[in-house]
Each structure stands twice: as structure tokens, then as C-alpha cells.
Amino acid sequence: MVKKIFAYSYIYLILLLMYVPILVLIAFSFTNSTYIGEWNGFSFQLYINLFQDKEILIALGNTLIIAFISSLVSTLIGTLGAIGAYYSKKRTRTLIENINQIPVVNSEIVIALSLTVMFVFLGNFIFKENIFSFWTLLIGHVVLSVPFVYLNVKPKLTQMDPSLYEAALDLGCAPSQALRKILIPQITPGIVSGFLISITLSLDDFIVTAFTRGPGLLSGEGNIETLSTLIQAKIKKGPIPVNMRPLTTIIFLVVLVAAILVTVVKNQSKKKVKVRKGRAA
């Protein structure tokens, strides 16, 4: 009994520390005040101001574009890498898994500096010009995300029945057909999880973005601004922009709805599988 009380108290304390600041931020997104703690009456003015703030909208657009494209590329590379490693020899698979662990356990600042040195070298000695742009930023986000996609897909590969893929080949399927019709459907949950984690990593990344960005996207000729770099630049000069409060609220609600939908879909899928097994029995 004492263990349960301690366990529940610990869980509720962690949830309290995690969500109270978010709830405070949401509450003060409905009042037009410069500082959190000052309540000037209920108002939607900050939400109106948000959609008129060109600087934040550009940063938001850049952030979403980079997150979506980098997540698609990372998911493709990470999934193919996991499949290739799974069907490789043991020594090759072990080598790939050890290499994949390096970016995961390594400090992000080391990754950012390494990429910066590589891009500077390529720009000075190969291309003879500054190559920092959207493409260097995209490469940085892909390097950051691919290992996590690999780690999400790998368990699904080990859980699947390998005889199904081999049976498809024996029955005349080409390897590409067996991959598309047999293998991919079995590891889809891992692919989806890897894609979502990639988006999350890209959305809130600051260090890699700050080191690898250049001009382009919606920022035009200026350096690409994402939400993280914009907020960092603003807090150097003063408080966090008030229009970030409604934006943060909207992002939180979108993520919450997405998490609920994913959970509902997973539960429905599990129920369907149980029903099919029951009918088969």
C-alpha cells in the first residue's frame, strides 16, 4: 500500500511539474499582457496579433517545411537502413548498429560542429563558395533524425515473422513486391513512430539549425529563421514575444489531438486483430 502511494505521488508530481507551466502559458495566451502574471482581462487579441505577425509566420513556415521534408528523408533512409542491416550478416549488422549509436549518445553540439567543419571545408576547397543554405540545414536535420528512425524500425523487424517474406519470394514475388506487400505493412507502426519522432526532433532543434542554416526558404536572402532561432534572438533583447504564447497553445493542442488520434487508431487496430484471431480460432 505504501509503495503504491509513493509511486502514484511520484507520478502526479512529475505530471504537475510538466503540465502546470504549459497550462499557465495557455491561460495567459487569453490576455493581452506583456508579462506572464499580469492579467488584463480575457481577450483573443494575442491570437489576432499572431496571424498578423509576419516575422513569426515566416519562422513557423520555415520550421514546418524543414521538419516535414527532413522527416520524410530521414524516415526513408532510416527504414531502408534498418531493413538492410536486418538482412545483413551478423558482423555487418553489428557494425551498422554501433555506428548508428554514435549520433544518439553523442552531444548535439559535437554533431553541429562536425557538420559545420565539413560544410566549410567543402565550400572552401570543393565548391569555392559559401554553401550554407537550406540544403545544409536539411542535411543537418536528417543526420540528427535518421538514427532514431532506425531504432524505431529495428524492433518491428525483429518481431515480425521472417517466414512470410521468404514464402512470398518462394511463391514468385519479386523482392520489391515482397518488400512492398509483405515487409512494409508489418513494420508500418515503427515507420510511423520514427517519422513522428523525426518531426519532433526537427521542430525543437536549435543547435544544429544555428550552425548549419543559411539564406533561403521564406526568409529570402536572409538567414533561415526557425521558431527556435527566432525565440533565442528575441530573448537576448527582452522578454519572450507575447505572440509566442498563442502559437505555443495552438502547437500543444495540435500535438495533443494527434496523440489522441494515434492512440485511438492503434487501439482499433488491436481490437480488429483480436477479432480476427477469435474468428480464426
Side-chain angles (χ1 to χ4, degrees):
M1 184 66 179
V2 175
K3 289 182 179 180
K4 285 186 177 181
I5 293 174
F6 179 78
Y8 283 120
S9 299
Y10 177 77
I11 292 171
Y12 289 139
L13 177 62
I14 296 298
L15 292 175
L16 190 69
L17 294 174
M18 287 176 59
Y19 288 104
V20 165
I22 296 175
L23 295 176
V24 170
L25 191 66
I26 292 173
F28 280 92
S29 70
F30 293 101
T31 185
N32 189 13
S33 61
T34 304
Y35 299 97
I36 293 179
E38 298 178 358
W39 185 265
N40 294 336
F42 187 86
S43 172
F44 286 102
Q45 188 59 46
L46 291 184
Y47 287 87
I48 297 172
N49 295 343
L50 170 64
F51 293 101
Q52 297 174 348
D53 192 327
K54 186 177 179 181
E55 191 175 34
I56 289 181
L57 292 179
I58 288 175
L60 175 62
N62 288 336
T63 303
L64 294 177
I65 292 170
I66 294 166
F68 185 73
I69 296 176
S70 66
S71 298
L72 285 177
V73 176
S74 300
T75 302
L76 178 62
I77 297 174
T79 301
L80 293 178
I83 294 172
Y86 180 74
Y87 287 102
S88 297
K89 294 180 180 179
K90 185 177 180 181
R91 182 176 296 179
T92 303
R93 183 168 62 251
T94 302
L95 177 63
I96 293 173
E97 289 179 355
N98 289 335
I99 293 174
N100 184 78
Q101 287 293 335
I102 295 174
V104 175
V105 300
N106 209 351
S107 173
E108 193 173 337
I109 187 67
V110 175
I111 298 174
L113 284 172
S114 301
L115 289 170
T116 302
V117 170
M118 182 185 71
F119 293 143
V120 169
F121 174 81
L122 292 175
N124 291 340
F125 297 99
I126 306 297
F127 297 98
K128 305 299 182 181
E129 62 179 354
N130 180 15
I131 64 171
F132 285 92
S133 62
F134 162 74
W135 298 107
T136 56
L137 178 56
L138 178 63
I139 291 171
H141 280 235
V142 169
V143 169
L144 184 67
S145 303
V146 164
F148 294 92
V149 176
Y150 179 95
L151 292 175
N152 275 271
V153 175
K154 177 189 169 184
K156 295 300 178 183
L157 286 167
T158 57
Q159 292 171 8
M160 72 176 189
D161 185 357
S163 61
L164 293 176
Y165 179 77
E166 295 171 1
L169 295 178
D170 292 339
L171 291 172
C173 275
S176 59
Q177 289 178 312
L179 177 68
R180 187 175 67 255
K181 296 181 179 180
I182 304 299
L183 190 60
I184 297 298
Q186 293 187 79
I187 63 174
T188 296
I191 296 174
V192 173
S193 298
F195 178 76
L196 295 176
I197 288 177
S198 296
I199 287 182
T200 302
L201 289 171
S202 179
L203 285 175
D204 64 3
D205 176 75
F206 169 73
I207 298 176
V208 171
T209 301
F211 277 77
T212 60
R213 64 177 175 158
L217 286 182
L218 304 179
S219 299
E221 295 181 357
N223 276 344
I224 296 172
E225 287 286 3
T226 63
L227 290 176
S228 59
T229 58
L230 178 64
I231 293 172
Q232 197 273 342
K234 291 293 184 182
I235 60 177
K236 282 184 177 180
K237 302 175 182 178
I240 296 175
V242 294
N243 291 339
M244 291 304 301
R245 301 206 296 257
L247 178 60
T248 304
T249 301
I250 293 171
I251 293 174
F252 174 75
L253 293 177
V254 169
V255 171
L256 181 63
V257 171
I260 293 172
L261 290 176
V262 169
T263 303
V264 170
V265 170
K266 284 184 177 180
N267 290 336
Q268 289 179 346
S269 300
K270 288 180 181 179
K271 288 180 181 179
K272 289 181 180 179
V273 171
K274 288 182 180 179
V275 171
R276 288 174 184 173
K277 288 182 178 180
R279 289 177 180 175

